[in-house]
Amino acid sequence: METVATARAFGGTQGVYRHASDATGTPMTFSVYVPPHAPGQTLPVVWYLSGLTCTHANVTDKGEYRRACAELGLIFVAPDTSPRGDGVADDPAYDFGQGAGFYVDATEAPWAAHFRMWSYVTEELPALIAAHFPADMARQSIMGHSMGGHGALTIGLTLAERFRAVSAFAPIVAPSRVPWGEKALGGYLGADRAAWRRHDAVALIEDGARVPALLVDQGEADQFLAEQLRPQLLAEACDAAGIELTLRMQPGYDHSYYFIATFMADHLAWHAARLG
Amino acid sequence: METVATARAFGGTQGVYRHASDATGTPMTFSVYVPPHAPGQTLPVVWYLSGLTCTHANVTDKGEYRRACAELGLIFVAPDTSPRGDGVADDPAYDFGQGAGFYVDATEAPWAAHFRMWSYVTEELPALIAAHFPADMARQSIMGHSMGGHGALTIGLTLAERFRAVSAFAPIVAPSRVPWGEKALGGYLGADRAAWRRHDAVALIEDGARVPALLVDQGEADQFLAEQLRPQLLAEACDAAGIELTLRMQPGYDHSYYFIATFMADHLAWHAARLG
């Protein structure tokens, strides 16, 4: 693991790191914020998964998470959204290929060779975090935005014993039923929709996945709300399943990092309360 | 004035605006955050001047000022750092020409035609803010970073009756005595160093300019500290003049927006206490 850059921030250290990933077969870059802590102390880990077109840098620059993480004693990890590079398959659209990994292990050519973001985020990167940072891996939680909200919900529902808190900003809750998701899951996983259900939060809940509670903030002025995000589908699934969903519709807010930053501290406090 | 973009943030509105500037003879872009407020209410205005290479966007993306401005009821204005465009003189260096206006009205060719950032920031833009935003122009304060800290100090010292609070992050305090400043003031104002004193905070204080108090944060790991910033020169001038300077040397902090964001809320609270 190579250190790209570190800087003091809110009494802790914001770092950017790069490593050669076995999962994706590419170099991968990620950021980690470690808050101030006593020598030898380990701290809970919050995973943040980013949305379409993003790298680790968007939330690192604009997410405004460091003050709350410093106050609450949380490590904050932000991976990239896909493998990248000249030897990696790509698509000219912003919503497929590089920058749009959708947190799945692709099975279809040409994507299967490198697009293994599920394995990367759930297996390889956690091992790296455990090895190199003062992380208490028994206390983890996960959140994300948009495509990364989809990732946080599906990973949090699938690995419910690992993640003590799961939340999302403007998530894609039912990718099987919206254009972004149909394109991505069809492209990465193939035409058989049965294979998509493991990567669709609403389908996972319908198929029996359970977490105690979810927190979702959604801007009412979000341009993607009606066609791509459809949080009501998550509300209906949680209602039927007995999952306590706190779905906060936020008047006037759009899909941007101004929205995320506004509610980031709320989410981190909600996570901290569950991380102990 | 044209609205480039607006977004809801922390209950208020973050906007980016563009207008044809008479002062610079170019289009100029700036950002304004207006916090939540009652209809008809006017609010104090904090000016933030940015450093070398920056536009309005750096602090708007990375400054983390909106939460504190929302809590304290402050309008936050971030101008660009120079005129820009194809017809505007430039220099290939990062520290001179476009992106490096140094908050002076240039007198030397070819800069004098457009590089009139003193007039722009102290006269034209305030009139625009007063006309288009719920601003109480009887309650203004000013802060800045690096080159913008120089701007905040020189403008705040010169227009002491206008600005109730003046603070800076890692400012250039004595441009006449450091390489960045000698190059810029020499280039924009000519070789006669007597003309530079109005644009040098330490010289202004030596020549009699007074404010009740100044707040300066400076990272001890700032790569520009010893050669370009030299806050001790400001401390000596304030000491001799009886100006109450709070100079906080911050161990481990560099020159970046991680440093600025860490102490932004402190500065805004300090301003709010003086803005009433």
PDB file of all heavy atoms in Angstrom, chain B residues 99-127:
ATOM      1  N   GLY B  99      -5.553  34.206 -11.849  1.00  0.00           N
ATOM      2  CA  GLY B  99      -5.541  33.398 -10.632  1.00  0.00           C
ATOM      3  C   GLY B  99      -4.662  33.959  -9.527  1.00  0.00           C
ATOM      4  O   GLY B  99      -4.518  33.341  -8.474  1.00  0.00           O
ATOM      5  N   ALA B 100      -4.083  35.135  -9.780  1.00  0.00           N
ATOM      6  CA  ALA B 100      -3.115  35.702  -8.830  1.00  0.00           C
ATOM      7  C   ALA B 100      -3.201  37.236  -8.815  1.00  0.00           C
ATOM      8  O   ALA B 100      -2.196  37.929  -8.950  1.00  0.00           O
ATOM      9  CB  ALA B 100      -1.699  35.254  -9.194  1.00  0.00           C
ATOM     10  N   GLY B 101      -4.407  37.744  -8.620  1.00  0.00           N
ATOM     11  CA  GLY B 101      -4.611  39.192  -8.728  1.00  0.00           C
ATOM     12  C   GLY B 101      -4.080  39.992  -7.553  1.00  0.00           C
ATOM     13  O   GLY B 101      -3.892  41.209  -7.658  1.00  0.00           O
ATOM     14  N   PHE B 102      -3.847  39.378  -6.429  1.00  0.00           N
ATOM     15  CA  PHE B 102      -3.245  40.013  -5.244  1.00  0.00           C
ATOM     16  C   PHE B 102      -4.053  41.194  -4.701  1.00  0.00           C
ATOM     17  O   PHE B 102      -3.555  41.979  -3.897  1.00  0.00           O
ATOM     18  CB  PHE B 102      -1.788  40.415  -5.504  1.00  0.00           C
ATOM     19  CG  PHE B 102      -0.809  39.329  -5.111  1.00  0.00           C
ATOM     20  CD1 PHE B 102      -0.549  38.279  -5.984  1.00  0.00           C
ATOM     21  CD2 PHE B 102      -0.194  39.327  -3.866  1.00  0.00           C
ATOM     22  CE1 PHE B 102       0.326  37.254  -5.611  1.00  0.00           C
ATOM     23  CE2 PHE B 102       0.677  38.305  -3.494  1.00  0.00           C
ATOM     24  CZ  PHE B 102       0.940  37.261  -4.368  1.00  0.00           C
ATOM     25  N   TYR B 103      -5.301  41.330  -5.133  1.00  0.00           N
ATOM     26  CA  TYR B 103      -6.211  42.326  -4.554  1.00  0.00           C
ATOM     27  C   TYR B 103      -5.643  43.744  -4.631  1.00  0.00           C
ATOM     28  O   TYR B 103      -5.742  44.518  -3.676  1.00  0.00           O
ATOM     29  CB  TYR B 103      -6.604  41.909  -3.119  1.00  0.00           C
ATOM     30  CG  TYR B 103      -7.161  40.503  -3.146  1.00  0.00           C
ATOM     31  CD1 TYR B 103      -6.373  39.394  -2.789  1.00  0.00           C
ATOM     32  CD2 TYR B 103      -8.442  40.255  -3.631  1.00  0.00           C
ATOM     33  CE1 TYR B 103      -6.866  38.097  -2.884  1.00  0.00           C
ATOM     34  CE2 TYR B 103      -8.937  38.960  -3.729  1.00  0.00           C
ATOM     35  CZ  TYR B 103      -8.144  37.893  -3.352  1.00  0.00           C
ATOM     36  OH  TYR B 103      -8.611  36.615  -3.461  1.00  0.00           O
ATOM     37  N   VAL B 104      -5.041  44.055  -5.783  1.00  0.00           N
ATOM     38  CA  VAL B 104      -4.561  45.422  -6.062  1.00  0.00           C
ATOM     39  C   VAL B 104      -5.194  45.924  -7.361  1.00  0.00           C
ATOM     40  O   VAL B 104      -5.706  45.136  -8.157  1.00  0.00           O
ATOM     41  CB  VAL B 104      -3.018  45.465  -6.207  1.00  0.00           C
ATOM     42  CG1 VAL B 104      -2.336  44.937  -4.948  1.00  0.00           C
ATOM     43  CG2 VAL B 104      -2.557  44.708  -7.455  1.00  0.00           C
ATOM     44  N   ASP B 105      -5.163  47.244  -7.560  1.00  0.00           N
ATOM     45  CA  ASP B 105      -5.455  47.834  -8.867  1.00  0.00           C
ATOM     46  C   ASP B 105      -4.113  48.049  -9.552  1.00  0.00           C
ATOM     47  O   ASP B 105      -3.332  48.927  -9.159  1.00  0.00           O
ATOM     48  CB  ASP B 105      -6.183  49.167  -8.716  1.00  0.00           C
ATOM     49  CG  ASP B 105      -7.638  48.999  -8.291  1.00  0.00           C
ATOM     50  OD1 ASP B 105      -8.158  47.857  -8.341  1.00  0.00           O
ATOM     51  OD2 ASP B 105      -8.252  50.014  -7.921  1.00  0.00           O
ATOM     52  N   ALA B 106      -3.839  47.248 -10.579  1.00  0.00           N
ATOM     53  CA  ALA B 106      -2.543  47.327 -11.248  1.00  0.00           C
ATOM     54  C   ALA B 106      -2.379  48.671 -11.947  1.00  0.00           C
ATOM     55  O   ALA B 106      -3.334  49.232 -12.486  1.00  0.00           O
ATOM     56  CB  ALA B 106      -2.406  46.185 -12.246  1.00  0.00           C
ATOM     57  N   THR B 107      -1.155  49.159 -11.929  1.00  0.00           N
ATOM     58  CA  THR B 107      -0.847  50.414 -12.622  1.00  0.00           C
ATOM     59  C   THR B 107       0.080  50.180 -13.815  1.00  0.00           C
ATOM     60  O   THR B 107       0.269  51.085 -14.623  1.00  0.00           O
ATOM     61  CB  THR B 107      -0.162  51.399 -11.658  1.00  0.00           C
ATOM     62  OG1 THR B 107       0.993  50.755 -11.081  1.00  0.00           O
ATOM     63  CG2 THR B 107      -1.123  51.821 -10.555  1.00  0.00           C
ATOM     64  N   GLU B 108       0.663  49.003 -13.898  1.00  0.00           N
ATOM     65  CA  GLU B 108       1.661  48.712 -14.928  1.00  0.00           C
ATOM     66  C   GLU B 108       1.031  47.967 -16.108  1.00  0.00           C
ATOM     67  O   GLU B 108       0.163  47.112 -15.925  1.00  0.00           O
ATOM     68  CB  GLU B 108       2.783  47.838 -14.340  1.00  0.00           C
ATOM     69  CG  GLU B 108       3.534  48.496 -13.196  1.00  0.00           C
ATOM     70  CD  GLU B 108       4.178  49.815 -13.615  1.00  0.00           C
ATOM     71  OE1 GLU B 108       5.131  49.776 -14.416  1.00  0.00           O
ATOM     72  OE2 GLU B 108       3.712  50.875 -13.147  1.00  0.00           O
ATOM     73  N   ALA B 109       1.548  48.259 -17.324  1.00  0.00           N
ATOM     74  CA  ALA B 109       1.141  47.502 -18.511  1.00  0.00           C
ATOM     75  C   ALA B 109       1.759  46.109 -18.443  1.00  0.00           C
ATOM     76  O   ALA B 109       2.876  45.966 -17.932  1.00  0.00           O
ATOM     77  CB  ALA B 109       1.608  48.221 -19.776  1.00  0.00           C
ATOM     78  N   PRO B 110       1.099  45.065 -18.956  1.00  0.00           N
ATOM     79  CA  PRO B 110      -0.245  45.061 -19.566  1.00  0.00           C
ATOM     80  C   PRO B 110      -1.351  44.816 -18.558  1.00  0.00           C
ATOM     81  O   PRO B 110      -2.487  44.587 -18.943  1.00  0.00           O
ATOM     82  CB  PRO B 110      -0.138  43.874 -20.526  1.00  0.00           C
ATOM     83  CG  PRO B 110       0.711  42.890 -19.770  1.00  0.00           C
ATOM     84  CD  PRO B 110       1.711  43.725 -19.011  1.00  0.00           C
ATOM     85  N   TRP B 111      -1.032  44.868 -17.252  1.00  0.00           N
ATOM     86  CA  TRP B 111      -1.971  44.421 -16.212  1.00  0.00           C
ATOM     87  C   TRP B 111      -3.038  45.456 -15.893  1.00  0.00           C
ATOM     88  O   TRP B 111      -4.153  45.098 -15.473  1.00  0.00           O
ATOM     89  CB  TRP B 111      -1.195  44.039 -14.946  1.00  0.00           C
ATOM     90  CG  TRP B 111      -0.035  43.159 -15.283  1.00  0.00           C
ATOM     91  CD1 TRP B 111       1.279  43.496 -15.342  1.00  0.00           C
ATOM     92  CD2 TRP B 111      -0.110  41.790 -15.705  1.00  0.00           C
ATOM     93  NE1 TRP B 111       2.038  42.425 -15.760  1.00  0.00           N
ATOM     94  CE2 TRP B 111       1.207  41.357 -15.984  1.00  0.00           C
ATOM     95  CE3 TRP B 111      -1.152  40.879 -15.871  1.00  0.00           C
ATOM     96  CZ2 TRP B 111       1.508  40.068 -16.427  1.00  0.00           C
ATOM     97  CZ3 TRP B 111      -0.867  39.595 -16.298  1.00  0.00           C
ATOM     98  CH2 TRP B 111       0.450  39.206 -16.578  1.00  0.00           C
ATOM     99  N   ALA B 112      -2.702  46.731 -16.069  1.00  0.00           N
ATOM    100  CA  ALA B 112      -3.604  47.792 -15.609  1.00  0.00           C
ATOM    101  C   ALA B 112      -4.970  47.739 -16.293  1.00  0.00           C
ATOM    102  O   ALA B 112      -5.972  48.194 -15.731  1.00  0.00           O
ATOM    103  CB  ALA B 112      -2.953  49.161 -15.833  1.00  0.00           C
ATOM    104  N   ALA B 113      -5.033  47.160 -17.494  1.00  0.00           N
ATOM    105  CA  ALA B 113      -6.298  47.152 -18.232  1.00  0.00           C
ATOM    106  C   ALA B 113      -7.396  46.382 -17.503  1.00  0.00           C
ATOM    107  O   ALA B 113      -8.564  46.802 -17.506  1.00  0.00           O
ATOM    108  CB  ALA B 113      -6.076  46.559 -19.628  1.00  0.00           C
ATOM    109  N   HIS B 114      -7.057  45.251 -16.894  1.00  0.00           N
ATOM    110  CA  HIS B 114      -8.089  44.391 -16.290  1.00  0.00           C
ATOM    111  C   HIS B 114      -7.856  44.063 -14.820  1.00  0.00           C
ATOM    112  O   HIS B 114      -8.810  43.756 -14.115  1.00  0.00           O
ATOM    113  CB  HIS B 114      -8.178  43.076 -17.069  1.00  0.00           C
ATOM    114  CG  HIS B 114      -8.599  43.244 -18.497  1.00  0.00           C
ATOM    115  ND1 HIS B 114      -9.872  43.620 -18.873  1.00  0.00           N
ATOM    116  CD2 HIS B 114      -7.901  43.091 -19.656  1.00  0.00           C
ATOM    117  CE1 HIS B 114      -9.957  43.692 -20.189  1.00  0.00           C
ATOM    118  NE2 HIS B 114      -8.773  43.377 -20.692  1.00  0.00           N
ATOM    119  N   PHE B 115      -6.621  44.084 -14.369  1.00  0.00           N
ATOM    120  CA  PHE B 115      -6.314  43.608 -13.007  1.00  0.00           C
ATOM    121  C   PHE B 115      -6.618  44.696 -11.992  1.00  0.00           C
ATOM    122  O   PHE B 115      -5.722  45.367 -11.465  1.00  0.00           O
ATOM    123  CB  PHE B 115      -4.853  43.123 -12.933  1.00  0.00           C
ATOM    124  CG  PHE B 115      -4.671  41.746 -13.513  1.00  0.00           C
ATOM    125  CD1 PHE B 115      -4.757  41.544 -14.879  1.00  0.00           C
ATOM    126  CD2 PHE B 115      -4.458  40.646 -12.695  1.00  0.00           C
ATOM    127  CE1 PHE B 115      -4.618  40.265 -15.430  1.00  0.00           C
ATOM    128  CE2 PHE B 115      -4.315  39.373 -13.233  1.00  0.00           C
ATOM    129  CZ  PHE B 115      -4.405  39.177 -14.598  1.00  0.00           C
ATOM    130  N   ARG B 116      -7.902  44.836 -11.676  1.00  0.00           N
ATOM    131  CA  ARG B 116      -8.366  45.866 -10.754  1.00  0.00           C
ATOM    132  C   ARG B 116      -9.191  45.217  -9.634  1.00  0.00           C
ATOM    133  O   ARG B 116     -10.344  45.571  -9.390  1.00  0.00           O
ATOM    134  CB  ARG B 116      -9.186  46.911 -11.516  1.00  0.00           C
ATOM    135  CG  ARG B 116      -8.343  47.604 -12.609  1.00  0.00           C
ATOM    136  CD  ARG B 116      -9.120  48.673 -13.351  1.00  0.00           C
ATOM    137  NE  ARG B 116      -9.677  49.666 -12.442  1.00  0.00           N
ATOM    138  CZ  ARG B 116      -8.987  50.655 -11.872  1.00  0.00           C
ATOM    139  NH1 ARG B 116      -7.696  50.799 -12.134  1.00  0.00           N
ATOM    140  NH2 ARG B 116      -9.583  51.495 -11.062  1.00  0.00           N
ATOM    141  N   MET B 117      -8.546  44.260  -8.963  1.00  0.00           N
ATOM    142  CA  MET B 117      -9.262  43.471  -7.959  1.00  0.00           C
ATOM    143  C   MET B 117      -9.560  44.265  -6.695  1.00  0.00           C
ATOM    144  O   MET B 117     -10.520  43.970  -5.985  1.00  0.00           O
ATOM    145  CB  MET B 117      -8.474  42.188  -7.640  1.00  0.00           C
ATOM    146  CG  MET B 117      -8.484  41.157  -8.762  1.00  0.00           C
ATOM    147  SD  MET B 117     -10.155  40.615  -9.277  1.00  0.00           S
ATOM    148  CE  MET B 117     -10.658  39.680  -7.824  1.00  0.00           C
ATOM    149  N   TRP B 118      -8.744  45.271  -6.370  1.00  0.00           N
ATOM    150  CA  TRP B 118      -9.070  46.118  -5.214  1.00  0.00           C
ATOM    151  C   TRP B 118     -10.417  46.808  -5.427  1.00  0.00           C
ATOM    152  O   TRP B 118     -11.318  46.719  -4.582  1.00  0.00           O
ATOM    153  CB  TRP B 118      -7.964  47.146  -4.974  1.00  0.00           C
ATOM    154  CG  TRP B 118      -8.249  48.036  -3.789  1.00  0.00           C
ATOM    155  CD1 TRP B 118      -9.016  49.157  -3.748  1.00  0.00           C
ATOM    156  CD2 TRP B 118      -7.779  47.814  -2.446  1.00  0.00           C
ATOM    157  NE1 TRP B 118      -9.056  49.675  -2.480  1.00  0.00           N
ATOM    158  CE2 TRP B 118      -8.303  48.871  -1.654  1.00  0.00           C
ATOM    159  CE3 TRP B 118      -6.967  46.867  -1.839  1.00  0.00           C
ATOM    160  CZ2 TRP B 118      -8.037  48.987  -0.302  1.00  0.00           C
ATOM    161  CZ3 TRP B 118      -6.697  46.979  -0.481  1.00  0.00           C
ATOM    162  CH2 TRP B 118      -7.232  48.019   0.273  1.00  0.00           C
ATOM    163  N   SER B 119     -10.552  47.454  -6.563  1.00  0.00           N
ATOM    164  CA  SER B 119     -11.821  48.141  -6.855  1.00  0.00           C
ATOM    165  C   SER B 119     -12.973  47.159  -6.962  1.00  0.00           C
ATOM    166  O   SER B 119     -14.095  47.437  -6.518  1.00  0.00           O
ATOM    167  CB  SER B 119     -11.701  48.929  -8.166  1.00  0.00           C
ATOM    168  OG  SER B 119     -10.812  50.008  -8.009  1.00  0.00           O
ATOM    169  N   TYR B 120     -12.689  46.006  -7.554  1.00  0.00           N
ATOM    170  CA  TYR B 120     -13.742  45.015  -7.723  1.00  0.00           C
ATOM    171  C   TYR B 120     -14.265  44.530  -6.364  1.00  0.00           C
ATOM    172  O   TYR B 120     -15.471  44.493  -6.133  1.00  0.00           O
ATOM    173  CB  TYR B 120     -13.223  43.837  -8.555  1.00  0.00           C
ATOM    174  CG  TYR B 120     -14.256  42.753  -8.711  1.00  0.00           C
ATOM    175  CD1 TYR B 120     -15.398  42.975  -9.487  1.00  0.00           C
ATOM    176  CD2 TYR B 120     -14.128  41.534  -8.052  1.00  0.00           C
ATOM    177  CE1 TYR B 120     -16.376  42.003  -9.605  1.00  0.00           C
ATOM    178  CE2 TYR B 120     -15.099  40.549  -8.167  1.00  0.00           C
ATOM    179  CZ  TYR B 120     -16.219  40.793  -8.941  1.00  0.00           C
ATOM    180  OH  TYR B 120     -17.194  39.835  -9.049  1.00  0.00           O
ATOM    181  N   VAL B 121     -13.350  44.179  -5.476  1.00  0.00           N
ATOM    182  CA  VAL B 121     -13.750  43.569  -4.198  1.00  0.00           C
ATOM    183  C   VAL B 121     -14.251  44.609  -3.202  1.00  0.00           C
ATOM    184  O   VAL B 121     -15.122  44.312  -2.377  1.00  0.00           O
ATOM    185  CB  VAL B 121     -12.571  42.752  -3.614  1.00  0.00           C
ATOM    186  CG1 VAL B 121     -12.819  42.389  -2.159  1.00  0.00           C
ATOM    187  CG2 VAL B 121     -12.343  41.496  -4.449  1.00  0.00           C
ATOM    188  N   THR B 122     -13.729  45.841  -3.268  1.00  0.00           N
ATOM    189  CA  THR B 122     -14.128  46.835  -2.258  1.00  0.00           C
ATOM    190  C   THR B 122     -15.270  47.735  -2.724  1.00  0.00           C
ATOM    191  O   THR B 122     -15.911  48.368  -1.888  1.00  0.00           O
ATOM    192  CB  THR B 122     -12.944  47.734  -1.846  1.00  0.00           C
ATOM    193  OG1 THR B 122     -12.546  48.515  -2.973  1.00  0.00           O
ATOM    194  CG2 THR B 122     -11.769  46.906  -1.328  1.00  0.00           C
ATOM    195  N   GLU B 123     -15.505  47.810  -4.029  1.00  0.00           N
ATOM    196  CA  GLU B 123     -16.538  48.740  -4.495  1.00  0.00           C
ATOM    197  C   GLU B 123     -17.621  48.063  -5.333  1.00  0.00           C
ATOM    198  O   GLU B 123     -18.797  48.088  -4.989  1.00  0.00           O
ATOM    199  CB  GLU B 123     -15.896  49.877  -5.308  1.00  0.00           C
ATOM    200  CG  GLU B 123     -14.978  50.752  -4.458  1.00  0.00           C
ATOM    201  CD  GLU B 123     -14.189  51.769  -5.279  1.00  0.00           C
ATOM    202  OE1 GLU B 123     -14.577  52.062  -6.442  1.00  0.00           O
ATOM    203  OE2 GLU B 123     -13.146  52.244  -4.773  1.00  0.00           O
ATOM    204  N   GLU B 124     -17.216  47.455  -6.447  1.00  0.00           N
ATOM    205  CA  GLU B 124     -18.239  46.975  -7.366  1.00  0.00           C
ATOM    206  C   GLU B 124     -19.017  45.787  -6.811  1.00  0.00           C
ATOM    207  O   GLU B 124     -20.255  45.783  -6.853  1.00  0.00           O
ATOM    208  CB  GLU B 124     -17.593  46.586  -8.711  1.00  0.00           C
ATOM    209  CG  GLU B 124     -18.647  46.202  -9.745  1.00  0.00           C
ATOM    210  CD  GLU B 124     -18.044  45.876 -11.099  1.00  0.00           C
ATOM    211  OE1 GLU B 124     -16.845  45.533 -11.161  1.00  0.00           O
ATOM    212  OE2 GLU B 124     -18.788  45.980 -12.090  1.00  0.00           O
ATOM    213  N   LEU B 125     -18.313  44.783  -6.313  1.00  0.00           N
ATOM    214  CA  LEU B 125     -19.028  43.591  -5.838  1.00  0.00           C
ATOM    215  C   LEU B 125     -19.875  43.896  -4.600  1.00  0.00           C
ATOM    216  O   LEU B 125     -21.009  43.385  -4.498  1.00  0.00           O
ATOM    217  CB  LEU B 125     -18.053  42.432  -5.614  1.00  0.00           C
ATOM    218  CG  LEU B 125     -18.687  41.067  -5.359  1.00  0.00           C
ATOM    219  CD1 LEU B 125     -19.701  40.671  -6.437  1.00  0.00           C
ATOM    220  CD2 LEU B 125     -17.602  39.987  -5.245  1.00  0.00           C
ATOM    221  N   PRO B 126     -19.397  44.720  -3.643  1.00  0.00           N
ATOM    222  CA  PRO B 126     -20.286  45.062  -2.518  1.00  0.00           C
ATOM    223  C   PRO B 126     -21.601  45.703  -2.975  1.00  0.00           C
ATOM    224  O   PRO B 126     -22.666  45.412  -2.404  1.00  0.00           O
ATOM    225  CB  PRO B 126     -19.445  46.034  -1.686  1.00  0.00           C
ATOM    226  CG  PRO B 126     -18.033  45.643  -1.984  1.00  0.00           C
ATOM    227  CD  PRO B 126     -18.030  45.216  -3.429  1.00  0.00           C
ATOM    228  N   ALA B 127     -21.543  46.546  -3.995  1.00  0.00           N
ATOM    229  CA  ALA B 127     -22.779  47.171  -4.481  1.00  0.00           C
ATOM    230  C   ALA B 127     -23.720  46.119  -5.062  1.00  0.00           C
ATOM    231  O   ALA B 127     -24.945  46.186  -4.884  1.00  0.00           O
ATOM    232  CB  ALA B 127     -22.446  48.237  -5.535  1.00  0.00           C
TER     233      ALA B 127
END
